[in-house]
Amino acid sequence: ELKVEQNPLFLSMQEGKNYTIYCNYSTTSDRLYWYRQDPGKSLESLFVLLSNGAVKQEGRLMASLDTKARLSTLHITAAVHDLSATYFCAVDYNNNDMRFGAGTRLTVKP
Amino acid sequence: DAMVIQNPRYQVTQFGKPVTLSCSQTLNHNVMYWYQQKSSQAPKLLFHYYDKDFNNEADTPDNFQSRRPNTSFCFLDIRSPGLGDAAMYLCATSRDFRETQYFGPGTRLLVL
């Protein structure tokens, strides 16, 4: 059975700092998603990574995928308070069975 | 310009009283999904439809049923809600399998 592990689960960082969130998964997959969720709100799609070596960037967030290592990273550059949210990675396997990681709750402090 | 709409946004029901949650989409997507998300947990897929073809996750309780009368609408029926069914229920759509899913705002269910 597919397992998706994120770490850290909780992350408190200061504005202006850099940090990386990791997403490991246990079964072969060539498709990985990153979502953002604000408290009490729904999920917003951030990135879809479709192949080994894929890298995507949007603003202060950059995501990458290494399918051989079964690892994706979400890198935060020069964090700002507006990035405070919970970030989920999700792995697509077995034809549309999607499993989410437990989420990383990010708090950016001034 | 809401693309995935869920109603109601908040639903309070009594233990054992059937409840129906609604989802509609304007994207004309083929696939519609229902997820359950409990507090501070990841979303858990309950089932999905590809057009009219229904796929139930193996561990989705029988208490949960779904209907998709047409492309735009999908319903989640909880036949006899228990206290453990209190959660946020998220509807999502995608154009096809293995494509980005677009989530609705969710319905927060409270069971008294």
Side-chain angles (χ1 to χ4, degrees):
Chain A
E1 181 182 330
L2 175 65
K3 292 185 179 178
V4 182
E5 294 183 348
Q6 279 183 245
N7 70 83
L9 297 182
F10 297 92
L11 175 56
S12 179
M13 55 191 298
Q14 287 197 310
E15 281 190 330
K17 297 293 186 183
N18 304 333
Y19 210 86
T20 300
I21 299 170
Y22 297 89
C23 176
N24 290 90
Y25 54 98
S26 61
T27 302
T28 300
S29 175
D30 62 355
R31 191 164 298 223
L32 188 137
Y33 306 81
W34 284 96
Y35 288 91
R36 168 182 171 145
Q37 187 175 37
D38 291 295
K41 300 290 181 65
S42 191
L43 277 75
E44 173 191 354
S45 177
L46 294 174
F47 301 108
V48 182
L49 302 168
L50 300 178
S51 60
N52 188 42
V55 177
K56 290 197 174 179
Q57 183 165 2
E58 180 74 30
R60 300 174 187 274
L61 301 178
M62 184 172 71
S64 66
L65 177 62
D66 182 342
T67 58
K68 294 179 181 177
R70 296 178 186 171
L71 170 68
S72 180
T73 61
L74 181 65
H75 187 73
I76 303 155
T77 302
V80 293
H81 179 69
D82 286 352
L83 290 180
S84 297
T86 298
Y87 293 85
F88 290 98
C89 66
V91 177
D92 189 323
Y93 85 114
N94 197 28
N95 196 27
N96 210 47
D97 191 347
M98 191 142 87
R99 298 295 171 90
F100 283 78
T104 296
R105 186 174 296 182
L106 171 65
T107 304
V108 181
K109 298 180 178 178
Chain B
D1 292 4
M3 298 182 290
V4 183
I5 303 162
Q6 291 188 244
N7 286 302
R9 297 292 306 280
Y10 299 91
Q11 176 73 57
V12 181
T13 190
Q14 291 181 327
F15 183 94
K17 184 175 181 181
V19 66
T20 294
L21 310 182
S22 168
C23 176
S24 63
Q25 54 134 340
T26 60
L27 298 164
N28 202 33
H29 282 174
N30 291 310
V31 195
M32 295 187 78
Y33 311 80
W34 280 104
Y35 289 87
Q36 178 193 65
Q37 186 179 26
K38 296 188 176 180
S39 181
S40 300
Q41 295 185 20
K44 179 181 177 301
L45 182 64
L46 296 174
F47 24 58
H48 72 262
Y49 275 94
Y50 188 102
D51 196 13
K52 290 189 178 298
D53 293 332
F54 177 72
N55 184 283
N56 198 37
E57 291 298 297
D59 56 356
T60 298
D62 292 340
N63 198 26
F64 291 83
Q65 303 286 321
S66 184
R67 296 170 283 135
R68 188 179 185 186
N70 53 54
T71 300
S72 301
F73 284 87
C74 195
F75 300 97
L76 170 61
D77 300 308
I78 309 176
R79 292 192 295 188
S80 182
L83 298 178
D85 296 328
M88 174 80 90
Y89 289 88
L90 296 166
C91 173
T93 74
S94 65
R95 187 174 55 179
D96 206 333
F97 284 141
R98 314 200 77 206
E99 296 200 18
T100 298
Q101 295 185 19
Y102 295 86
F103 284 80
T107 295
R108 188 171 294 280
L109 177 68
L110 181 62
V111 182
L112 300 178

